[in-house]
Amino acid sequence: MAATIARGGAGLFISAFNARLAGKKRISSASGFLSILRSHGSATNRYSFLRSSPAASARAYSSEPPQSVVGEVESSTVEEGDPPIDPLREAADTLDIRVGRILKAWRHPEADSLYVEEVDVGESEPRTICSGLVNYIPLEQLQDTKVVVLANLKPRNMRGIKSNGMLMAASDEPHENVELLIPPEGSIPGERIWFGSEEDKDKQPDAASPNQVQKKKIWEAVQPHLKTTNDCLAVLAANPMRTSAGVVACKSLKNARIS
């Protein structure tokens, strides 16, 4: 019986010891969690760890720098109902695409394939733009015509004439047929063109500078996703190219690339 009591006493002792040990671990874990919260300073004021994903919470206990944890929390606490971020649209929205009107056009004196145009894009002075359209569009069709102008490209010297922008056009796959994009009737020279719905007009960010467009290769990223539809409407992926008067189009080229 003494042995039984001894064994019972040992069992009680071990149980008590384990309870104390577990209590210390809980205290240690809680202290560690509080330490983590304190170490993140302002981040914990803005983001709740309770709303983060399990993976982000697990990483909060690791030795990762605070910034990476904040990034995880930021990505996991996007409010429900927020539209998903579309990097293509974001890039396209920094392009300064405008309604223009060709005031006059003539053949480039030093380049057989180039026209030179003076284009009103809503600025104090018209822009001079060189376009390689001689083989595709008769000169008389350019006179006093409304066009779509990509206005925040860096100026280029084209056979002695500085070209400050680009006329946007649709072309078929073999590049045998080219048509200028046409702003809808009633479009005003100088108006900035956007992609999406009518409501998206007021959501446009400021246009990138020509240096930013070149350095970040914004045009190169956006251009492959520009095309015309079966109805000859200009779109970026599924987003129509718009002015306040309606959707930009071309004359007859369907499913054509835009450049």
Side-chain angles (χ1 to χ4, degrees), residues 153-193:
L153 295 176
K154 289 193 75 172
R156 293 180 58 193
N157 194 315
M158 301 186 74
R159 294 291 189 91
I161 296 178
K162 186 173 286 187
S163 180
N164 195 13
M166 182 180 78
L167 303 187
M168 297 183 69
S171 63
D172 57 13
E173 190 62 34
H175 204 70
E176 294 174 351
N177 298 287
V178 176
E179 295 176 356
L180 287 170
L181 295 187
I182 306 168
E185 190 70 28
S187 297
I188 300 172
E191 181 181 13
R192 192 170 166 199
I193 292 171

Side-chain angles (χ1 to χ4, degrees), residues 5 20 24 36 70 88 137 139 156 175 202 206 213 216 253-254:
I5 293 172
R20 290 181 62 193
K24 288 182 178 180
I36 289 170
V70 170
L88 178 62
I137 300 174
L139 183 59
R156 293 180 58 193
H175 204 70
D202 297 327
D206 293 336
V213 172
K216 297 181 180 180
L253 293 178
K254 302 177 180 181

Side-chain angles (χ1 to χ4, degrees), residues 98-101 119-127 188-191:
R98 303 188 202 174
V99 177
R101 182 170 71 90
V119 187
D120 175 12
V121 291
E123 298 170 335
S124 57
E125 298 289 335
R127 291 197 183 201
I188 300 172
E191 181 181 13

Side-chain angles (χ1 to χ4, degrees), residues 104-118 128-140 142-143 158-159 161:
K104 61 180 179 178
W106 63 95
R107 294 283 295 266
H108 193 299
E110 302 295 332
D112 292 340
S113 64
L114 297 179
Y115 289 132
V116 183
E117 305 98 11
E118 283 189 0
T128 299
I129 297 176
C130 296
S131 304
L133 299 172
V134 170
N135 297 326
Y136 307 104
I137 300 174
L139 183 59
E140 58 270 17
L142 297 180
Q143 309 296 343
M158 301 186 74
R159 294 291 189 91
I161 296 178

